[in-house]
């Protein structure tokens, strides 16, 4: 059968894993915008009933900011435990077990109103954050290890597509006409249990990652069966040989710990790349727009009555852009999509700043401001949103991949927390210049990608590693130390290059 067959099993596996995986990240970002006023009122009423004390406005805002941002700290914890969980349980089982955190969080959110406890909402957000942190690390790894080489980028990028779809879904469900009303906000916060339940019912029917089965468990027969099911055809020798080559390169190696990567010269530039790009994904400010959409649009001059409908457009923009990126990534490559995304974001952030500065002088400037937000999100979806999660799969081997995802995920969540906490103050203090820091981040990130990140499109791990080897060992001496260091990821390739 042709290499370009599109087996139904692979597509259904991607859908099942993503519905209960990265969709949750986008969904749980979006649903917190609609009930802002209602939960703030609930906090105030709870304090008044317990301690006969009325909170000041800044105290209510602070507690609300904690509820929103604690999701990021939960995500950080999830990213840290994702690596050990994938090593112990495998990729698929890890995603299934991850629903324990989700269901517990949904139960707490559902009962918080009856219990008159805003603390239960905070704990719920921590647990849901842990769930999102694990899925944001494990799902791209699962997809990258299960997809054929010619579809690896597109399949891995589907994680970003489902994240964007989760944002749109959360914004729609959060409308006042559905679950965004005063009487239904607790059901809105608990509605994330529905996608989790769908995953629990469907994902057990699909195979584990073929690379995990062969390289980590040493089960060649199970690997071949998984490949056969995922490809919808007999296993090609070239694909199996590539996995066997990676197994040989990592033979005898234990899974790496995150701190070991920092001292390993052979992965120095791989590590620098994921640190910079994972950090930039959050420090560019895109996800802050979802967390505080009302603040942003109010600053842009949009009326309060129409803000909830306008915010749906933000999620729709990213969803559309991610689908476009999915179609283009295997044609245009990773570097171009990343660079183009960051440069375009910087441009529209500058236009947004100009529009905010002139909104009191020119009547149509608020509409330009709104358009800039949409184009900013479109630019994000076309590059950083999808490519960032794919990189650790493509540039690290099996022994280092879980640790690399732990580092990338931890930085992503830590920076999301920082931006989430600081963004309201950036808006209030810098006002029309609130996006200037993000311009700097986007330009510096584009510069790094252009200068240092090799293209990975359609290349095997061995070829990608050879390109990074030139960066990691710039000194052209052939001493034993350099050769030993290179052996870490090059494996048998070192022997072929020295012949």
């Amino acid at each position: 059968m042709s290499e370009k067959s599109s087996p139904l099993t692979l597509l259904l596996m991607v859908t099942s894993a993503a519905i209960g995986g990265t969709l949750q990240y986008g969904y749980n970002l979006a649903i917190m915008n609609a009930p802002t006023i209602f939960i703030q009122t609930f906090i105030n009423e709870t304090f008044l009933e317990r301690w006969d004390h009325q909170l000041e406005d800044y105290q209510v805002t602070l507690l609300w900011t904690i509820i929103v941002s604690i999701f990021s700290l939960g995500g950080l914890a999830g990213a840290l435990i994702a690596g050990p969980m994938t090593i112990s349980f495998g990729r698929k089982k890890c995603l299934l077990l991850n629903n324990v955190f989700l269901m517990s969080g949904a139960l707490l959110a559902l009962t918080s109103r009856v219990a008159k406890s805003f603390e239960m909402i905070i704990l719920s957000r921590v647990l849901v954050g842990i769930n999102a942190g694990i899925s944001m690390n494990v799902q791209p790894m699962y997809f990258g290890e299960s997809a054929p080489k010619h579809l690896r980028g597109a399949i891995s990028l589907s994680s970003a597509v489902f994240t964007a779809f989760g944002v749109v879904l959360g914004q729609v469900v959060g409308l006042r006409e559905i679950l965004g009303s005063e009487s239904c906000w607790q059901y809105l916060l608990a509605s994330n249990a529905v996608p989790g339940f769908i995953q629990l019912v469907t994902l057990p029917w699909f195979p584990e990652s073929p690379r995990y089965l062969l390289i980590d468990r040493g089960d060649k027969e199970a690997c071949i069966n998984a490949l056969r099911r995922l490809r919808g055809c007999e296993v090609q020798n070239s694909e199996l040989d590539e996995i066997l080559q990676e197994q040989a390169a990592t033979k005898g190696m234990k899974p790496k710990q995150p701190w070991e990567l920092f001292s390993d010269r052979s992965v120095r530039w791989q590590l620098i790349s994921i640190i910079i790009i994972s950090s930039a994904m959050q420090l560019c400010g895109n996800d802050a727009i979802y967390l505080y959409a009302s603040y942003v649009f109010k600053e842009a001059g949009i009326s309060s009555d129409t803000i909830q409908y306008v915010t749906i457009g933000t999620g729709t923009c990213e969803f559309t852009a991610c689908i476009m990126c999915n179609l283009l990534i295997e044609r245009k490559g990773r570097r171009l999509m990343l660079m183009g995304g960051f440069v375009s974001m910087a441009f529209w952030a500058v236009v947004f700043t100009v529009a905010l500065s002139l909104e009191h002088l020119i009547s149509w400037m608020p509409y330009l401001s709104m358009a800039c937000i949409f184009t900013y999100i479109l630019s994000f979806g076309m590059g950083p949103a999808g490519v960032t999660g794919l990189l650790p799969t493509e540039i690290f081997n099996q022994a280092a991949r879980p640790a690399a995802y732990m580092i990338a995920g931890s930085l992503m969540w830590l920076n999301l927390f920082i931006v989430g906490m600081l963004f309201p103050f950036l808006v209030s203090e810098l006002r029309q210049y609130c996006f200037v820091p993000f311009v700097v981040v986007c330009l510096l990130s584009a510069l790094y990608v252009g200068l240092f990140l090799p293209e990975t499109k359609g290349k095997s791990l061995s070829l990608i590693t050879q390109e990074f080897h030139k960066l990691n060992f710039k000194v052209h001496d052939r001493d034993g130390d350099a050769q030993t260091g290179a052996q870490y990821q090059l494996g048998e390739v070192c022997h072929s290059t020295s012949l």
Side-chain angles (χ1 to χ4, degrees), residues 227-491:
L227 284 171
R228 189 179 292 123
R229 289 185 61 194
L230 290 170
R231 303 294 177 264
C233 61
E234 286 303 313
V235 181
Q236 295 187 1
N237 290 332
S238 59
E239 183 171 19
L240 187 59
D241 288 345
E242 185 186 331
I243 302 176
L244 287 168
Q245 183 183 16
E246 187 177 346
Q247 182 193 37
T250 57
K251 192 171 184 180
M253 290 183 182
K254 293 181 179 179
K256 296 286 180 179
Q257 299 299 326
W259 53 88
E260 292 180 292
L261 299 188
F262 285 96
S263 59
D264 192 334
R265 184 180 177 183
S266 68
V267 294
R268 179 179 297 168
W269 281 97
Q270 291 96 312
L271 191 60
I272 291 172
S273 296
I274 65 162
I275 287 173
I276 290 175
I277 296 170
S278 297
S279 298
M281 183 178 173
Q282 297 301 344
L283 294 178
C284 71
N286 182 79
D287 286 346
I289 293 174
Y290 294 129
L291 290 173
Y292 300 101
S294 297
Y295 285 96
V296 175
F297 286 120
K298 193 179 295 182
E299 192 66 28
I302 308 302
S303 66
S304 300
D305 293 336
T306 57
I307 281 178
Q308 70 161 341
Y309 303 105
V310 173
T311 54
I312 295 177
T314 61
T316 306
C317 275
E318 186 172 340
F319 181 52
T320 304
C322 285
I323 292 175
M324 291 170 62
C325 185
N326 197 296
L327 298 173
L328 291 172
I329 191 168
E330 293 300 347
R331 296 183 180 183
K332 303 300 182 183
R334 285 53 159 162
R335 289 178 76 243
L336 182 61
M337 301 300 287
L338 271 176
M339 285 179 62
F342 280 126
V343 170
S344 182
M345 288 168 74
F347 172 78
W348 288 112
V350 170
V351 177
F352 181 62
T353 302
V354 173
L356 287 180
S357 302
L358 299 176
E359 68 177 359
H360 298 299
L361 302 175
I362 303 173
S363 60
W364 50 266
M365 275 299 163
Y367 300 102
L368 178 59
S369 300
M370 187 168 64
C372 287
I373 291 174
F374 290 145
T375 50
Y376 191 84
I377 292 170
L378 273 169
S379 303
F380 177 78
M382 285 294 290
V387 181
T388 304
L390 168 64
L391 282 180
T393 297
E394 295 198 318
I395 65 178
F396 287 92
N397 68 16
Q398 194 80 3
R401 199 170 290 136
Y405 267 106
M406 285 173 67
I407 294 169
S410 299
L411 285 169
M412 189 193 79
W413 287 102
L414 184 62
N415 285 305
L416 177 62
F417 176 74
I418 292 169
V419 172
M421 290 296 288
L422 292 181
F423 191 69
F425 301 101
L426 283 177
V427 173
S428 61
E429 296 298 323
L430 298 180
R431 300 191 68 81
Q432 68 265 36
Y433 303 110
C434 61
F435 268 63
V436 171
F438 303 139
V439 174
V440 177
V441 170
C442 290
L443 290 177
L444 290 176
S445 302
L447 186 64
Y448 175 83
V449 172
L451 293 176
F452 299 108
L453 186 68
E455 180 55 69
T456 59
K457 181 188 74 171
K459 296 178 181 177
S460 67
L461 178 67
S462 300
L463 288 174
I464 295 168
T465 306
Q466 285 184 71
E467 294 195 35
F468 273 107
H469 176 64
K470 297 171 186 175
L471 290 172
N472 293 326
F473 299 95
K474 283 186 176 179
V475 180
H476 295 295
D477 60 316
R478 298 278 180 176
D479 62 1
D481 180 63
Q483 288 288 348
T484 303
Q487 190 74 24
Y488 167 63
Q489 280 213 319
L490 287 173

Side-chain angles (χ1 to χ4, degrees), residues 38-55 60 113 116 118 182 185:
F38 307 133
I39 296 179
Q40 287 178 347
T41 304
F42 172 70
I43 293 170
N44 225 338
E45 290 174 350
T46 303
F47 257 86
L48 190 62
E49 188 174 328
R50 284 186 195 172
W51 297 293
D52 196 27
H53 174 67
Q54 186 83 26
L55 289 174
V60 175
R113 190 167 191 170
K116 297 181 179 179
F118 64 85
E182 194 278 333
W185 61 259

Side-chain angles (χ1 to χ4, degrees), residues 90-103:
R91 288 32 168 169
K92 185 181 83 169
K93 193 176 289 184
C94 180
L95 288 173
L96 291 170
L97 291 172
N98 190 27
N99 284 290
V100 172
F101 299 108
L102 176 71
M103 297 301 178

Side-chain angles (χ1 to χ4, degrees), residues 70-89:
I70 204 76
F71 174 70
S72 309
L73 292 185
L76 174 61
L80 291 173
I81 64 175
M85 282 183 69
T86 56
I87 294 167
S88 301
F89 301 111

